[in-house]
């Protein structure tokens, strides 16, 4: 991947099309471009979460491990974006999925089983982790939609699915390590007849 962007605007997309790395021109609402955009949005929000975690780790040293686990995810999401932009390009590998699963298992053991549905909130970090989780689910849906139109590698689909699981458990472990109570969903009170 020796190509470097030397000019930010090209004017070639003004008519609603964009170029893929393989030379094809597609509309900007093409499922491939849509999936690339959702992956990019997720990556940006993980960057925000990582910045917030870094600011808080002095007060809560247990957050450092979460940073260590999540920081490589930005690079792997960039790899996934590359695979979406260049269908013949293969960067993501199965061991990365196994790395996420290992962290999920460790953190799940730490926080224990769910007793109820959890709402996003309790602290800014917890809420941002949930924003990332929901964006991962959105990116997964876009990738699945693309896969129905133009098949993509299964490792990318598995990675984005596992990443959303990781982010859910990360929100829970952040709450525990910040010593913030999780906000549990409460059913609406029943109305009297």
């Amino acid at each position: 991947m020796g190509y470097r962007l030397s000019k930010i605007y090209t004017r070639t997309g003004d008519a609603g099309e964009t170029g893929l790395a393989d030379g094809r021109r597609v509309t900007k609402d093409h499922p491939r471009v849509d999936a690339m955009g959702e992956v990019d949005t997720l990556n940006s929000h993980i960057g925000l979460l990582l910045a917030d975690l870094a600011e808080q780790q002095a007060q809560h040293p247990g957050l450092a491990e979460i940073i260590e686990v999540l920081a490589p995810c930005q690079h792997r999401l960039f790899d996934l974006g590359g695979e979406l932009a260049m269908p013949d390009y293969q960067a993501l590998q199965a061991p990365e999925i196994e790395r996420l699963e290992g962290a999920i298992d460790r953190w799940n053991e730490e926080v224990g089983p769910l007793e109820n549905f959890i709402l996003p909130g309790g602290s800014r970090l917890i809420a941002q982790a949930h924003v990332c989780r929901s964006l991962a689910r959105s990116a997964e849906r876009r990738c699945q939609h693309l896969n129905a139109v133009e098949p993509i590698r299964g490792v990318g689909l598995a990675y984005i699915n596992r990443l959303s699981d990781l982010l859910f458990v990360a929100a829970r472990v952040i709450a525990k390590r910040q010593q913030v109570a999780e906000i549990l969903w409460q059913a609406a009170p029943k109305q009297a007849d």
Side-chain angles (χ1 to χ4, degrees):
M1 288 187 65
Y3 180 76
R4 296 291 179 255
L5 193 61
S6 59
K7 191 171 183 181
I8 299 302
Y9 66 89
T10 62
R11 295 188 178 118
T12 60
D14 293 351
E17 288 189 345
T18 191
L20 298 176
D22 64 3
R24 283 190 297 159
R25 303 272 318 156
V26 296
T27 60
K28 290 188 177 184
D29 63 351
H30 186 278
R32 186 168 296 278
V33 177
D34 201 21
M36 289 165 38
E38 285 295 314
V39 168
D40 185 42
T41 300
L42 169 60
N43 205 345
S44 297
H45 277 275
I46 288 176
L48 179 59
L49 175 59
L50 285 166
D52 287 346
L53 286 164
E55 287 179 7
Q56 293 291 317
Q57 77 175 1
Q59 291 176 274
H60 306 283
L63 299 178
E65 182 207 1
I66 300 166
I67 294 169
E68 289 173 17
V69 171
L70 287 179
C73 295
Q74 284 199 287
H75 299 274
R76 301 302 67 86
L77 284 171
F78 203 83
D79 289 341
L80 177 57
E83 289 189 15
L84 293 170
M86 301 175 285
D88 293 332
Y89 178 64
Q90 296 184 4
L92 278 172
Q93 302 299 322
E96 179 61 15
I97 296 167
E98 295 165 12
R99 185 183 76 81
L100 297 186
E101 290 173 347
I104 292 167
D105 293 342
R106 284 191 315 276
W107 292 348
N108 238 352
E109 192 171 314
E110 179 180 338
V111 296
L114 282 170
E115 296 178 13
N116 203 339
F117 294 109
I118 297 170
L119 300 180
S123 78
R124 178 181 173 86
L125 283 176
I126 298 164
Q128 183 62 30
H130 280 291
V131 168
C132 292
R133 172 203 41 87
S134 64
L135 289 169
R137 290 288 188 216
S138 180
E140 180 184 14
R141 288 190 301 272
R142 296 305 198 295
C143 288
Q144 287 292 354
H145 178 71
L146 170 61
N147 190 51
V149 177
E150 297 178 10
I152 59 177
R153 292 179 63 225
V155 68
L157 296 171
Y159 180 78
I160 199 77
N161 178 272
R162 218 65 85 251
L163 182 56
S164 64
D165 295 336
L166 176 81
L167 290 161
F168 176 77
V169 181
R172 297 197 68 212
V173 83
I174 288 167
K176 181 160 184 150
R177 293 181 186 183
Q178 280 190 309
Q179 298 178 341
V180 173
E182 293 178 306
I183 301 174
L184 301 180
W185 168 76
Q186 298 174 5
K190 295 189 183 217
Q191 298 291 324
D193 290 335

